[in-house]
Amino acid sequence: MSRNRTTLVAALLLVPIVAGGFLLQEPPVRANARLFEQVLGLVARQYVDTLNNSELLSRAARGLVKELHDPYTELFTPSESDEFSRGTNGRYGGTGMLLFEDDAHVITVQRVFHNTPAEDAGVREGDRIVAIADTTAAGWGLTKVSERLRGTPGSTIVVSFSRDGVPAPIRLAFTRREVHVPAVPYSTVISGVGYIPLQTFNENASEEVEGAVKTLLAQGAKGLVLDLRDNGGGIVEQALSISTLFLKDGQDIVTVRARGTADEVSKTRGGHVAEGVPLIVLTDGGTASAAEIVAGALQDHDRALVLGATTYGKGLVQSLYGLDGGYSLKLTTGKWYTPSGRSIHRERRVTEDGRVLEGRLEDGKIIEGAPDSAETEVSRAKRPKFKSDAGRTVYGGGGIVPDFFVREDTAPTLQQDFLRSVAPKGQQAQTVLQQYSLELRNQVSRDFTLTPAWRAELRRRLKVAGVNIEPRYDSVATVLFGDELERRVVRRAFGDAEAKKRALDDDQALQRSIELIQRSRSQQDLLRIAAAAASAKPAD
């Protein structure tokens, strides 16, 4: 690479100094503790700007942590330490928002729960979190944002949101209070199959799952679907308890391996439910951490068929260490493994500019920065292979790989173009849909269909709100906006369970799960039928 004149002059000026250094003293063979002391002393005494000694040490510590390039290891300041502790220990409060992280790591409000600080402050569905406590949240990810929002009831937190149509961020102050967001928002029987959407592993998760299982079986369910899609994890003890519900006494759930200590093996203990009942676990790229512990344990012991898409791949353990001056260090200290011995962790490294690069497993090696594309039979074949209790092949090397792949259909190009065209007015559209669905909820019966008059009124309101639809998208807009209005009316009038049944055609993974369970009489039967169906599918 060519060098410009300035660079060349600078290099020439350095040569005598470096050369003189070699004449005076042989360089050390390797870096040691003395190197750090020398650098610290020179910076403290000779750097052009005077630096406070405590600030200098803090920066040095942060630099060490940064150079690990580990997205899960963090050095917390005293205030950040207090905030983190409030969010993870004992009683904690929240704001009452269900959050979603998209592919660009933007955190969006998916739902605002009733009678919560978020609702009181005027947060809207579709708002995007841009800062917390006046610190940018760009690139934080869902886990870190959630940790920062939690805290002691009565404490305050300031959050800034971006909102479509509003030029400047909206800065809102919340007073946290205890918010009970159910781990299982509802459960229902669909075509003879019990459906349990588990959205988080909070302190009530195991109790709620157990209650749902018992209720669904009493209602005549012949099989169960545990939906872990978009479940980012939570309390590990709840993952152990939920695994115990479906496994037998004394079976391994997860093994944690760390430096200098014996392996820590967690086994099932306690009550079990649904013995012998066919079980399917649904997963996708948002299934992470504690949710992957459950999916991995049930898959390895042949207790569940895992169906859907490959999971996130968070197979690390973090420990929190208190430090001098109120600082604390959240440090990656171990890896966890499924009962068959799999590490499901997908390699991730933080780049110098703060981006997170992911690696894929290729020929037994993690290739940093390789695209995390959809799993195929070809890519799966390159993964490390392990055996379940019954001898089925299961895979390591990044995420829980499903036994049966079902990918959601990609929207047609015309629909994608239309959605992009109205994206700048997304918040206005959300507001119209929310308000109109509230008005219609008391006018419908369970078997209602959206009338032409309602569709026309929806289009009129959208136009008044500034959501202009190009003529070429007219038919697409009628279908998409109409379907979304219908879903919201059903949910508000009859609840989430009824809304799920009405929208079943949009959920390919759940549809296929129901079909497979309906053909099965036992778990072994389900695994056999699914294996035959998977082998008969066209190659990826």
Side-chain angles (χ1 to χ4, degrees):
M1 181 180 296
S2 62
R3 299 171 181 266
N4 60 34
R5 183 178 179 184
T6 304
T7 306
L8 178 60
V9 172
L12 288 173
L13 287 173
L14 285 171
V15 168
I17 302 173
V18 175
F22 279 115
L23 289 172
L24 292 172
Q25 181 179 351
E26 288 293 324
V29 175
R30 67 177 70 179
N32 52 37
R34 180 64 178 156
L35 173 64
F36 177 77
E37 294 173 4
Q38 289 174 328
V39 173
L40 185 64
L42 284 169
V43 171
R45 295 190 305 272
Q46 303 294 110
Y47 185 64
V48 63
D49 294 324
T50 302
L51 295 174
N52 178 277
N53 191 53
S54 61
E55 174 63 19
L56 188 60
L57 292 170
S58 174
R59 291 189 184 187
R62 287 186 179 279
L64 174 58
V65 170
K66 180 181 178 182
E67 285 302 308
L68 296 175
H69 299 291
D70 178 7
Y72 307 108
T73 292
E74 298 180 77
L75 178 65
F76 295 136
T77 65
S79 60
E80 290 171 338
S81 297
D82 292 341
E83 190 71 30
F84 183 80
S85 296
R86 284 195 297 267
T88 55
N89 298 323
R91 291 176 65 242
Y92 66 87
T95 56
M97 297 180 288
L98 178 64
L99 304 178
F100 172 77
E101 180 178 1
D102 64 17
D103 293 338
H105 304 295
V106 175
I107 308 302
T108 302
V109 179
Q110 192 172 43
R111 184 179 297 188
V112 178
F113 294 100
H114 180 58
N115 194 27
T116 62
E119 183 183 58
D120 294 345
V123 178
R124 299 179 183 176
E125 295 177 3
D127 285 352
R128 297 175 293 276
I129 294 178
V130 296
I132 296 178
D134 295 323
T135 300
T136 178
W140 278 12
L142 184 59
T143 299
K144 186 173 180 178
V145 168
S146 298
E147 288 173 352
R148 293 294 193 274
L149 291 176
R150 291 194 298 265
T152 303
S155 62
T156 59
I157 185 73
V158 175
V159 184
S160 296
F161 300 85
S162 66
R163 179 176 296 171
D164 290 335
V166 180
I170 301 169
R171 192 171 181 271
L172 300 175
F174 299 92
T175 298
R176 297 182 181 96
R177 58 177 182 258
E178 288 194 66
V179 176
H180 176 68
V181 177
V184 179
Y186 67 94
S187 61
T188 187
V189 176
I190 306 175
S191 301
V193 176
Y195 174 66
I196 306 171
L198 177 59
Q199 62 185 17
T200 187
F201 284 78
N202 63 16
E203 66 278 10
N204 301 313
S206 177
E207 179 183 346
E208 292 181 27
V209 170
E210 182 176 9
V213 169
K214 291 179 177 178
T215 298
L216 294 172
L217 294 179
Q219 292 174 352
K222 303 302 181 184
L224 298 170
V225 176
L226 180 64
D227 192 345
L228 298 182
R229 291 174 296 181
D230 290 321
N231 186 321
I235 302 172
V236 173
E237 287 74 12
Q238 292 293 316
L240 304 182
S241 297
I242 290 172
S243 298
T244 293
L245 290 176
F246 298 103
L247 295 172
K248 299 176 182 177
D249 284 332
Q251 288 186 304
D252 289 357
I253 301 173
V254 66
T255 298
V256 175
R257 298 175 186 170
R259 287 173 56 186
T261 61
D263 291 354
E264 181 181 343
V265 182
S266 297
K267 295 179 177 289
T268 57
R269 57 182 181 182
H272 313 287
V273 296
E275 184 176 353
V277 176
L279 173 65
I280 288 178
V281 171
L282 298 183
T283 63
D284 65 5
T287 305
S289 195
E292 292 176 294
I293 290 177
V294 173
L298 298 181
Q299 185 181 48
D300 281 3
H301 291 305
D302 302 293
R303 181 60 190 92
L305 174 77
V306 177
L307 185 149
T310 302
T311 64
Y312 180 77
K314 169 71 162 60
L316 299 178
V317 177
Q318 280 77 44
S319 301
L320 188 68
Y321 298 93
L323 307 174
D324 289 344
Y327 286 81
S328 59
L329 178 65
K330 181 162 70 76
L331 182 68
T332 298
T333 55
K335 286 186 176 181
W336 63 261
Y337 297 79
T338 71
S340 68
R342 291 182 287 166
S343 169
I344 59 87
H345 186 65
R346 179 176 288 117
E347 193 72 11
R348 292 179 176 88
R349 287 290 179 264
V350 180
T351 63
E352 293 299 330
D353 60 0
R355 294 179 297 112
V356 177
L357 291 180
E358 297 191 11
R360 282 192 62 82
L361 191 74
E362 294 183 8
D363 297 325
K365 297 180 180 180
I366 292 291
I367 308 299
E368 190 173 70
D372 186 24
S373 58
E375 192 78 45
T376 67
E377 296 297 338
V378 174
S379 65
R380 183 169 66 170
K382 295 179 181 180
R383 290 174 173 269
K385 298 176 178 61
F386 298 80
K387 293 296 182 182
S388 71
D389 292 354
R392 296 186 306 128
T393 299
V394 291
Y395 299 89
I400 300 292
V401 180
D403 303 303
F404 195 99
F405 288 109
V406 175
R407 300 183 183 88
E408 296 302 324
D409 293 335
T410 302
T413 302
L414 188 62
Q415 287 188 13
Q416 295 181 42
D417 291 345
F418 163 66
L419 293 173
R420 280 192 289 267
S421 74
V422 297
K425 294 291 184 179
Q427 184 58 54
Q428 289 86 338
Q430 290 279 351
T431 301
V432 169
L433 288 163
Q434 182 173 341
Q435 182 59 40
Y436 197 25
S437 63
L438 283 170
E439 294 175 20
L440 292 176
R441 65 178 177 176
N442 295 322
Q443 304 177 34
V444 297
S445 59
R446 284 186 178 272
D447 59 350
F448 83 94
T449 57
L450 218 59
T451 68
W454 290 345
R455 291 182 186 273
E457 175 61 13
L458 174 61
R459 291 291 292 271
R460 187 193 69 79
R461 295 189 182 202
L462 288 169
K463 185 175 181 179
V464 170
V467 183
N468 296 311
I469 299 169
E470 299 177 34
R472 61 189 175 122
Y473 297 133
D474 190 74
S475 60
V476 172
T478 298
V479 173
L480 292 183
F481 278 130
D483 288 349
E484 180 59 25
L485 177 62
E486 182 176 326
R487 278 191 289 269
R488 293 188 183 217
V489 172
V490 173
R491 193 181 83 192
R492 294 181 183 282
F494 308 112
D496 287 320
E498 187 63 26
K500 188 65 181 179
K501 293 177 183 179
R502 292 276 292 245
L504 186 60
D505 289 344
D506 297 329
D507 193 338
Q508 299 297 319
L510 180 54
Q511 282 190 74
R512 198 60 193 266
S513 298
I514 293 171
E515 293 169 4
L516 290 171
I517 289 177
Q518 287 174 334
R519 297 165 55 193
S520 307
R521 292 168 294 182
S522 65
Q523 188 64 42
Q524 292 72 26
D525 202 23
L526 172 61
L527 294 175
R528 179 185 58 78
I529 290 171
S535 64
K537 291 170 62 179
D540 291 299

